[in-house]
Amino acid sequence: MSDAVARFRDAWAHTRPDLDLSSMETLGRVRRLACLLNTITDDHLTDSDLTRPEFEVLSALRRSPQGLRPRQLTRATLSSGAATTKRLTRLENAGLITRTPLQRDRREVQVQLTPQGRDLIDRLYPTQLDRETALLAPLTHHERTQLADLLRRVLTPIDPA
């Protein structure tokens, strides 16, 4: 069975037979899967009036009941500081988060979900997990576990979070 990555690899092998294309077999598929998953997630979030990066901010906050500082959210969502600030402003204006200055340094803020934000992410996150589970349907439970372990081994040395 051929996929886009196999076609890209074959074209490169024809064009540049001197190149080692073995990394493309795996990482090309990881990149393509990530892009397709982002598109699927974006499509399913349109009714909620959230972008995928905003969904990721709400998810990070839901995992951290005590809240997070903006730089922690930036690191957790692999975003720039400017992008995080823009998302936080939009989410705050929508009533989904609050930003509270810290007592010890009022220049810093703690970001937390509002009850409305918690309700929204609690409604959206299970359907996101269902979509991800459906994407993995071609794999057995053992293959999913093995794939997760292999990807963890590749990701751990380079992941700043």
Side-chain angles (χ1 to χ4, degrees), residues 17-86:
D18 58 308
L19 296 177
D20 175 7
L21 303 171
S22 58
S23 64
M24 185 183 230
E25 291 288 327
T26 304
L27 297 180
R29 287 185 175 92
V30 168
R31 283 189 194 105
R32 191 154 179 90
L33 178 61
C35 288
L36 291 170
L37 181 57
N38 286 346
T39 299
I40 290 167
T41 302
D42 288 339
D43 291 346
H44 284 90
L45 288 173
T46 55
D47 291 341
S48 68
D49 199 31
L50 278 182
T51 65
R52 182 183 32 78
E54 291 166 349
F55 173 84
E56 291 170 0
V57 168
L58 296 180
S59 296
L61 290 170
R62 186 64 174 111
R63 294 189 306 266
S64 305
Q66 74 284 0
L68 295 169
R69 294 190 189 112
R71 73 172 170 267
Q72 293 170 310
L73 284 165
T74 296
R75 191 170 37 251
T77 60
L78 299 176
S79 301
S80 70
T84 298
T85 298
K86 180 180 175 182

Side-chain angles (χ1 to χ4, degrees), residues 3 10 14-15 26 33 38 43 45 62 65-66 73 89-90 98 101 111 116 124 132-133 135 137:
D3 65 359
D10 291 348
H14 177 72
T15 304
T26 304
L33 178 61
N38 286 346
D43 291 346
L45 288 173
R62 186 64 174 111
Q66 74 284 0
L73 284 165
T89 298
R90 183 162 146 37
T98 60
V111 182
Q116 181 184 352
L124 294 174
E132 292 173 2
T133 299
L135 288 171

